[in-house]
Amino acid sequence: MNECYYDKRMDFFYNKTNTDTVDEWTGPKLIVVLCFGTFFCLFIFISNSLVIAAVVKNKRFHFPFYYLLANLAAADFFAGIAYVFLMFNTGPVSKTLTVNRWFLRQGLLDTSLTASLVNLLVIAVERHMSIMRMKIHSNLTKKRVTFLIISIWAIAIFMGAVPTLGWNCLCDITACSSLAPIYSRSYLVFWSVLNLVVFFIMVVVYIRIYMYVQRKTTVLSSHTSGSISRRRTPVKLMKTVMTLLGAFVVCWTPGLVVLLLDGLNCTYCGIQNVKRWFLLLALLNSVMNPIIYSYKDDEMWGTMKRMICCSSEDKSQDRRSSRIPSTVVCRSTDTSGHYIEDGIIQGTICGKGDLGGKGNS
């Protein structure tokens, strides 16, 4: 019968697995790392809070896609919390941690990754439901979207807690990994392969949807009048989603590959030398997402900018917009589920109304 080591501190497991915890990471080097980490985390908190507030404030974002986008921002906000906790519990401090505190540190990171991944998968399903039915927005009710968001976080919390619930190496030291000295190598293989497979599935789904939208846009353009910009609204929306997915895959894939190599017990891969760089790359994903939202969506950027500036023109602009009939028509036709081309044309009319309102202010 194997002996279990629940009462040991992390230095016992680090020594058993020969894991490098960077004992020399002190003094000026530690201060620089903490300063940069603090700056990035503050940006994550502020920018993602603005995204969530923009979705709540702007009625044009009161659709399933944007609710899920706000939940993705919430996952990035949670990732910021996980990184703050990691900053003050890493380096030489790692060896002084209890097993439970180390599980909490890693569980927060795993939960944030799972929340973002599952959220992107749900957005893929929502986009598939809407685009394949020739609609800009799906007919998901607020109750269903709320249920989906609760389910996303339930799955994320469960996956983050799996090692704590028993899939660890506390009773089998020989099965411990190098990067995560109390995680079983079998769990790292399962975790990394599962995420990489979901990455691949989502990329294939989004490419298929994007190609479908382009084909339909080309067909509709020969039967309808109007400018090209009127027909490009679904394409722009898909570009935003695919940019988010692309950034997520690029930022997280290297780290998952390193975990997979560690799980496969690759002793000649030099994973200890690159693990911190790939963790930093994963952190940058939570920094990039709100930038992508604002860069790709003019309405999102406008709403965020008004909140940042606390402009006194905000209320008058809302009153001016509410008097424009085309804005009401756009929202009602989109909700009733008209076809993409109708939604595109109406969306363009609404955009003109906004520009007119801004020009008058």
Side-chain angles (χ1 to χ4, degrees), residues 49-69:
S49 296
L50 283 172
V51 171
I52 297 171
V55 172
V56 173
K57 182 178 181 180
N58 195 329
K59 292 184 178 180
R60 297 190 188 180
F61 297 147
H62 291 184
F63 293 102
F65 171 77
Y66 287 104
Y67 292 143
L68 294 171
L69 207 64

Side-chain angles (χ1 to χ4, degrees), residues 61-356:
F61 297 147
H62 291 184
F63 293 102
F65 171 77
Y66 287 104
Y67 292 143
L68 294 171
L69 207 64
N71 192 50
L72 186 60
D76 287 327
F77 187 95
F78 184 85
I81 297 175
Y83 291 126
V84 169
F85 191 84
L86 174 65
M87 277 195 305
F88 294 98
N89 292 276
T90 190
V93 180
S94 298
K95 288 188 175 183
T96 66
L97 298 178
T98 62
V99 167
N100 289 334
R101 193 171 182 85
W102 195 94
F103 272 136
L104 176 61
R105 189 188 82 173
Q106 298 305 122
L108 291 174
L109 292 173
D110 294 345
T111 299
S112 66
L113 168 60
T114 306
S116 297
L117 181 63
V118 178
N119 204 93
L120 283 170
L121 185 60
V122 172
I123 290 177
V125 174
E126 191 275 341
R127 287 293 86 200
H128 190 276
M129 289 172 56
S130 58
I131 298 298
M132 293 304 173
R133 294 178 181 178
M134 299 291 289
K135 298 175 183 177
I136 296 178
H137 294 290
S138 66
N139 289 331
L140 287 174
T141 63
K142 287 186 177 181
K143 287 185 178 180
R144 290 181 179 178
V145 174
T146 302
F147 173 77
L148 286 173
I149 291 174
I150 293 174
S151 300
I152 288 170
W153 285 102
I155 293 171
I157 293 171
F158 173 76
M159 292 301 296
V162 165
T164 311
L165 297 175
W167 200 345
N168 54 60
C169 63
L170 293 177
C171 297
D172 185 9
I173 296 296
T174 59
C176 290
S177 68
S178 175
L179 294 179
I182 55 175
Y183 276 12
S184 297
R185 287 194 298 272
S186 59
Y187 174 74
L188 290 187
V189 172
F190 162 77
W191 171 258
S192 53
V193 169
L194 176 64
N195 285 281
L196 290 171
V197 169
V198 175
F199 283 1
F200 178 76
I201 292 173
M202 285 195 297
V203 169
V204 171
V205 170
Y206 278 120
I207 290 176
R208 180 174 180 268
I209 295 175
Y210 184 73
M211 294 175 64
Y212 177 84
V213 169
Q214 283 195 318
R215 285 201 309 270
K216 284 296 180 181
T217 303
T218 302
V219 172
L220 288 171
S221 64
S222 61
H223 298 286
T224 59
S225 60
S227 63
I228 295 177
S229 61
R230 294 182 180 181
R231 307 183 192 108
R232 294 297 184 186
T233 302
V235 178
K236 286 182 178 180
L237 191 58
M238 285 309 304
K239 283 183 177 179
T240 300
V241 178
M242 292 183 69
T243 303
L244 290 171
L245 177 62
F248 187 81
V249 171
V250 169
C251 290
W252 281 98
T253 298
L256 290 173
V257 171
V258 166
L259 288 178
L260 177 60
L261 293 174
D262 187 28
L264 296 174
N265 201 22
C266 180
T267 57
Y268 304 101
C269 298
I271 54 179
Q272 292 289 345
N273 300 325
V274 297
K275 63 178 183 179
R276 293 173 189 84
W277 296 106
F278 290 160
L279 182 61
L280 177 61
L281 185 62
L283 168 65
L284 289 178
N285 179 240
S286 298
V287 176
M288 292 168 58
N289 281 346
I291 298 175
I292 294 172
Y293 303 147
S294 58
Y295 177 76
K296 288 289 186 179
D297 194 320
D298 293 336
E299 182 73 19
M300 176 71 73
W301 169 240
T303 305
M304 292 171 65
K305 187 166 63 174
R306 289 195 296 272
M307 289 190 297
I308 294 172
C309 298
C310 298
S311 174
S312 59
E313 298 177 0
D314 193 16
K315 292 184 179 180
S316 62
Q317 194 173 44
D318 289 341
R319 287 196 298 268
R320 202 174 291 120
S321 297
S322 66
R323 292 196 295 268
I324 301 175
S326 58
T327 304
V328 179
V329 172
C330 174
R331 190 165 171 15
S332 62
T333 53
D334 191 29
T335 307
S336 62
H338 281 196
Y339 291 118
I340 282 182
E341 186 65 23
D342 294 334
I344 298 169
I345 295 173
Q346 293 291 346
T348 307
I349 294 174
C350 289
K352 290 180 179 179
D354 285 343
L355 292 175

